[in-house]
Amino acid sequence: MLFEDIKNLDIGEVLKDEPLKNHTTFKIGGPADIFVKPKNEESIVKLLKFLKDKEKPYFILGRGSNLLVTDGGIRGVVICIYDALTEISLDGEDLYTGAGNTINAVSKFAQAHSMSNMERVSGIPGSIGGAIVMNAGAYGSEFKDFVTSVRVIDENLEIKEIPCEDMDFSYRHSAVMDKNYIVLGCHIKVIKKPQEEIDEVVDDVTFKRTSKQPLEMPSAGSTFKRPKDSYASLLIDQSGLKGFKHKGAMVSDKHTGFLVNHDNATYKDVIELIEIVKKVVYEKSGIELEPEVKIVGEDR
């Protein structure tokens, strides 16, 4: 009944029992009861108001790049914004991007216009929305460094523009996590620079990513947060776990900070490997690793 009611809202594509492994970079995850790909902002707000009135649960999905979904999948409604919020524009030194764009696409857009600030985050395999939620970063740069404001749907289902200083950005954290905002897009401060300077940084970052990270294998990026005064990859390497396999999951032999799906891994395989890595690293170093990957869903 809920499925038919949502289809009748005419807000976009609506699917039943959609496998979430098809929508995460880990290629892991059971079905979503109902999977919706809204057409635009208005469709998202319309659906959210409908679900609120019906008191039905929902989950917002971007590119699924920092996500580990259980084999049981997600109950309720999954709202995938990846193809919906893809506006991008440049007005002087203000770049606006919808939350559905990939980080790489926006970085390439800025690069093509000789605008600087996003070079070091280029290549992060996620959406702008997800990057805002977790204040994504790489190579000494984080989104808090150049985002000026964030367009959100707040807890009252009203669209608001939140200035950067009110986003409570910190390491892998933002106000979105605390206030249950839904990110629609953001404004980014970009600066005109010589094209060759921008290209040089992007080329350097691209080389580091492709040569040192297991981009050819399904993963959720860095599995663990950076511990104080160290690096998760260094601790895992020093613990002798490089290339360690557990069922279908494996510690990458290219970059030990990545746990990868090397042979049709299940959620359980990855969770068990996470616990093995945490246990061995703690025994060897006394440091307790904390997962960075977001775990969602439930077992049936």
Side-chain angles (χ1 to χ4, degrees):
M1 185 66 177
L2 181 62
F3 176 77
E4 294 299 329
D5 288 342
I6 293 175
K7 285 194 70 173
N8 291 335
L9 292 176
D10 189 28
I11 54 171
E13 188 176 6
V14 185
L15 304 172
K16 184 183 290 186
D17 295 327
E18 176 68 7
L20 290 169
K21 66 180 181 180
N22 296 338
H23 302 278
T24 66
T25 58
F26 231 144
K27 303 301 181 187
I28 293 172
D33 287 348
I34 300 174
F35 187 89
V36 184
K37 299 173 72 174
K39 293 182 284 190
N40 47 37
E41 276 190 10
E42 292 74 20
S43 297
I44 294 171
V45 173
K46 184 177 181 180
L47 175 58
L48 290 172
K49 288 181 177 178
F50 171 82
L51 294 175
K52 184 176 182 179
D53 289 342
K54 297 287 186 179
E55 298 183 340
K56 298 296 182 181
Y58 62 85
F59 178 80
I60 303 295
L61 177 69
R63 193 163 180 256
S65 63
N66 191 49
L67 209 60
L68 177 58
V69 180
T70 64
D71 297 325
I74 298 177
R75 305 288 70 77
V77 180
V78 171
I79 305 172
C80 180
I81 66 167
Y82 182 39
D83 292 324
L85 306 176
T86 56
E87 176 189 348
I88 186 167
S89 60
L90 182 64
D91 183 10
E93 294 187 335
D94 175 49
L95 188 159
Y96 178 79
T97 170
N101 284 317
T102 65
I103 300 167
N104 201 43
V106 178
S107 173
K108 293 297 185 186
F109 177 86
Q111 181 183 6
H113 288 80
S114 300
M115 304 303 286
S116 176
N117 259 353
M118 294 196 67
E119 296 92 319
R120 297 191 181 280
V121 300
S122 64
I124 293 178
S127 66
I128 291 293
I132 294 296
V133 172
M134 65 177 295
N135 183 31
Y139 303 110
S141 180
E142 294 179 318
F143 266 69
K144 69 178 179 61
D145 299 328
F146 44 76
V147 167
T148 58
S149 66
V150 181
R151 183 175 171 84
V152 305
I153 300 174
D154 69 9
E155 61 272 23
N156 298 315
L157 302 186
E158 295 180 358
I159 296 177
K160 290 184 176 180
E161 195 80 25
I162 310 294
C164 180
E165 54 266 29
D166 294 335
M167 284 297 298
D168 193 25
F169 284 125
S170 59
Y171 179 68
R172 302 300 177 261
H173 175 270
S174 76
V176 178
M177 297 178 174
D178 303 323
K179 299 188 178 182
N180 294 320
Y181 292 150
I182 296 169
V183 179
L184 297 174
C186 69
H187 288 269
I188 292 171
K189 171 74 171 180
V190 288
I191 303 167
K192 192 76 172 179
K193 277 190 177 180
Q195 188 68 51
E196 58 271 19
E197 290 186 19
I198 296 172
D199 293 347
E200 183 179 356
V201 176
V202 171
D203 289 346
D204 179 58
V205 167
T206 301
F207 174 75
K208 288 177 179 176
R209 283 191 180 281
T210 55
S211 64
K212 297 180 180 180
Q213 297 181 5
L215 304 182
E216 71 283 359
M217 301 188 75
S219 78
S222 297
T223 306
F224 300 97
K225 292 181 179 179
R226 185 179 66 235
K228 186 178 180 181
D229 301 325
S230 189
Y231 293 93
S233 58
L234 176 63
L235 295 170
I236 296 168
D237 203 356
Q238 291 175 340
S239 298
L241 292 170
K242 186 174 185 177
F244 178 81
K245 295 178 181 178
H246 176 73
K247 300 177 182 176
M250 180 177 83
V251 177
S252 170
D253 54 7
K254 194 172 184 180
H255 189 309
T256 50
F258 288 61
L259 301 191
V260 298
N261 177 356
H262 86 97
D263 185 19
N264 296 313
T266 65
Y267 162 79
K268 186 178 179 183
D269 294 346
V270 177
I271 285 296
E272 288 175 353
L273 181 55
I274 286 174
E275 292 305 316
I276 290 169
V277 171
K278 287 175 61 179
K279 180 176 183 291
V280 174
V281 167
Y282 185 75
E283 288 173 349
K284 299 280 187 179
S285 68
I287 296 175
E288 186 164 357
L289 294 179
E290 181 183 352
E292 179 176 305
V293 62
K294 183 177 181 180
I295 298 167
V296 296
E298 60 185 63
D299 291 324
R300 284 178 168 170

